[in-house]
Amino acid sequence: AAEAEEAALAALRARIDACAADGAAPLDLEAEDAETRRGFQALARLGCRGDDERSNRRGDDDDAADEAALAAAKEFLKTLGRKATGESARALLVQVGVWDKHEDLQLIRHRVPIAFSDEVEAAAAALADSPPPDADAARRVDMTAQRAYAIDAPETTEVDDALGVEFLADGGTRVWVHVADATRYVVPGSAVDLEARRRQSTIYLPTGMVPMVPLRLAEDILSLRDGTPSCALSFGATLDADGALGDVQIRPTLVEVERLTYAGVDEIL
């Protein structure tokens, strides 16, 4: 049995070393045994930490399971003949293709979910194909005749707010802020709703973004699409000639926005 274990370990080391060659395929973790997969999962917990960092520092997400994972990762590295350090764990994960060279360690450290489960993706696809009835249909106000502008970067694909201005008969002004109405489509307690609650918000990073809901929804029916009637929750605030705030209205609406860029608005102003 000991000889078989040593042979299996030597074969694993060889597969890992092969990943270091230029153009080599990443290590196929799905093809590895359960113990090896657990070892690499533990490496992620160790690799996302600084080597001089106390694992029990206040405010971290350390718990008994995390402490066990750190210990398991160090033991796994030792069996592979490597130093039992976070730096060694990071280097190994990059070498075998589990991590990118510029992996965002803070996302991993705080267990921020990146990919959506098959269940959530399937629910999102079903929602996009067959939206539920509009619970606010009877009171949703059609404001598509009023201009509304969404101001974002040119590369923005998830447009969630827009601005409009209404000039009143008495000379006053009402400013409208339109927010994409996710409740029009996402049913409370559904798979998409529960996942969005778990994530709490979309995270924007210099390297990209981690969406709160699947992009097939966030970039489509849950977005204020350019030139397309979209459901919104609209907030209208009346301002007098001196800019003092008057009454405030909140209503579910249907709006049609025009996309503008920050640079374009700066030129206009």
Side-chain angles (χ1 to χ4, degrees), residues 117 148 166:
S117 68
E166 179 183 1

Side-chain angles (χ1 to χ4, degrees), residues 157-160 180 217-225 230-231:
T157 57
E158 184 182 355
V159 179
D160 52 18
L217 297 178
E219 296 178 343
D220 191 33
I221 60 175
L222 300 189
S223 181
L224 299 180
R225 293 160 288 173
S230 305
C231 291

Side-chain angles (χ1 to χ4, degrees), residues 10-233:
L12 174 60
R13 289 171 178 164
R15 291 193 296 275
I16 290 173
D17 291 341
C19 293
D22 290 340
L27 185 66
D28 184 4
L29 286 182
E30 291 301 318
E32 299 294 336
D33 59 37
E35 183 177 355
T36 299
R37 292 197 298 271
R38 285 194 295 269
F40 277 98
Q41 289 170 358
L43 288 182
R45 299 311 307 156
L46 177 61
C48 67
R49 298 177 178 279
D51 290 324
D52 58 349
E53 191 173 343
R54 291 175 60 103
S55 62
N56 62 350
R57 192 174 70 181
R58 188 183 181 128
D60 285 348
D61 55 6
D62 299 303
D63 51 23
D66 213 32
E67 292 294 338
L70 297 178
K74 293 176 180 179
E75 188 60 32
F76 185 56
L77 287 168
K78 290 177 183 177
T79 64
L80 296 175
R82 300 183 178 233
K83 292 183 179 180
T85 64
E87 182 180 0
S88 180
R90 291 189 290 275
L92 178 54
L93 289 165
V94 171
Q95 177 183 328
V96 301
V98 173
W99 279 4
D100 181 81
K101 183 178 180 181
H102 302 292
E103 196 76 28
D104 194 316
L105 301 184
Q106 289 300 317
L107 293 180
I108 298 170
R109 176 181 185 136
H110 295 290
R111 294 185 174 89
V112 174
I114 307 298
F116 291 95
S117 68
D118 291 342
E119 177 192 5
V120 173
E121 287 286 8
L127 186 60
D129 293 338
S130 301
D134 184 2
D136 293 311
R139 62 193 188 100
R140 192 174 296 280
V141 179
D142 188 339
M143 296 185 66
T144 55
Q146 183 185 114
R147 287 193 169 185
Y149 301 96
I151 307 171
D152 290 286
E155 64 273 14
T156 299
T157 57
E158 184 182 355
V159 179
D160 52 18
D161 55 64
L163 184 69
V165 178
E166 179 183 1
F167 298 103
L168 306 177
D170 62 2
T173 302
R174 181 177 290 121
V175 176
W176 287 98
V177 176
H178 307 290
V179 180
D181 186 2
T183 65
R184 158 65 184 89
Y185 299 99
V186 180
V187 177
S190 65
V192 173
D193 174 54
L194 295 177
E195 182 64 17
R197 292 191 204 184
R198 184 168 77 97
R199 295 182 177 229
Q200 299 184 355
S201 69
T202 293
I203 300 174
Y204 293 93
L205 303 164
T207 54
M209 50 93 85
V210 181
M212 184 172 67
V213 296
L215 290 179
R216 71 176 65 207
L217 297 178
E219 296 178 343
D220 191 33
I221 60 175
L222 300 189
S223 181
L224 299 180
R225 293 160 288 173
D226 190 17
T228 301
S230 305
C231 291
L233 185 62

